[in-house]
Amino acid sequence: MPRKPKTKPREPTLEDWAGPNPTPLQQAQDLCWDAWDEPDMNKARRMARKALKICPDCADGYNILGGTTSSWKKAAELYEQGVATGRKTLGEVYFKENEGHFWGLIESRPYIRAVNGLADCYWHLDRYEDSVRLYQEILLLNPGDNIGVRFILVSKLIILQRDKEVRAILKRYPGEERAVAFPAYNTALLEFRQSGDSPKARKALTHALAMNSHVPDYLLRIKPLPGERPSYYSPGDESEAEVYVDDGFDAWRLSHGAMNWLLERIKVGQNVH
């Protein structure tokens, strides 16, 4: 089932953002912010529909509906509407003037969310190149990548055997492997794919295990993933492992020998020297 964004997009109050005379789009957006925080999915959908009645060009209305439908095809259609309306309301000049800063601007966040949701749908509909292109667009518009699509993109590129592009993305964000588990495990997998059970690969895996020791349990299916993806995670916690494996399992599974290598290194206690 399509997923809501991994980060809660609650923004400033309507008056803070729009002033005393909000436009229909601003009113619709304010209702959508409330819908994002609504735990009742059916109520959130009703709020999104109401927002779209106030303003049919409210991209987040389509995003909420797309993230709460059970069909990847239908979700893709809704996210496509979100992308189209988001691009129309922002305008082409806006894209040229604000490329690289989209997440820092409140009005362009719904567009980023729409592209992100559509990329996820396209992947599940086997439109792999279209999915990758959209993830790359997000990184172009928002290189700071506040919502973490680079971690998802790396896993997708590994599946597509585009290791050179994976290496380039990892280099674009130096030092991240010392802060979160995602790049640490992706680096270990990449090193194994390129050099097998080498000292470099073992060292990278040792570091990844130190960052989060829960990941192998989920990768090796010693523990099943929970039915619902965590809405947030903490570095080193099981929640981080669950999110990483939810996105990255196929990258490991489809990398020949990677799962066996991980299991063997765990068995020997990671004696890398």
Side-chain angles (χ1 to χ4, degrees), residues 55-122:
C55 180
D57 289 335
C58 181
D60 259 348
Y62 296 109
N63 293 340
I64 293 166
L65 294 176
T68 54
T69 187
S70 59
S71 164
W72 289 107
K73 185 175 184 297
K74 179 60 178 177
E77 293 171 356
L78 289 163
Y79 281 123
E80 285 170 347
Q81 288 179 277
V83 169
T85 56
R87 196 162 196 102
K88 181 178 75 172
T89 56
L90 293 173
E92 294 305 317
V93 173
Y94 183 97
F95 277 77
K96 293 177 181 178
E97 292 180 346
N98 296 290
E99 181 180 301
H101 306 285
F102 261 49
W103 196 255
L105 301 165
I106 293 172
E107 64 272 13
S108 52
R109 291 184 184 183
Y111 178 79
I112 292 291
R113 288 191 278 269
V115 176
N116 187 33
L118 185 57
D120 191 27
C121 290
Y122 278 171

Side-chain angles (χ1 to χ4, degrees), residues 205-266:
L205 183 56
T206 298
H207 173 70
L209 288 167
M211 291 298 302
N212 192 313
S213 61
H214 302 289
V215 170
D217 286 345
Y218 292 105
L219 277 176
L220 298 170
R221 293 307 197 232
I222 297 169
K223 285 185 178 181
L225 287 173
E228 186 173 344
R229 180 189 176 99
S231 57
Y232 62 91
Y233 61 85
S234 300
D237 195 10
E238 283 198 61
S239 58
E240 182 188 42
E242 292 165 5
V243 172
Y244 172 74
V245 175
D246 188 39
D247 289 328
F249 177 76
D250 283 344
W252 282 81
R253 179 178 65 86
L254 297 174
S255 295
H256 181 69
M259 290 295 198
N260 288 336
W261 172 66
L262 175 61
L263 180 60
E264 289 303 313
R265 298 317 309 165
I266 297 296

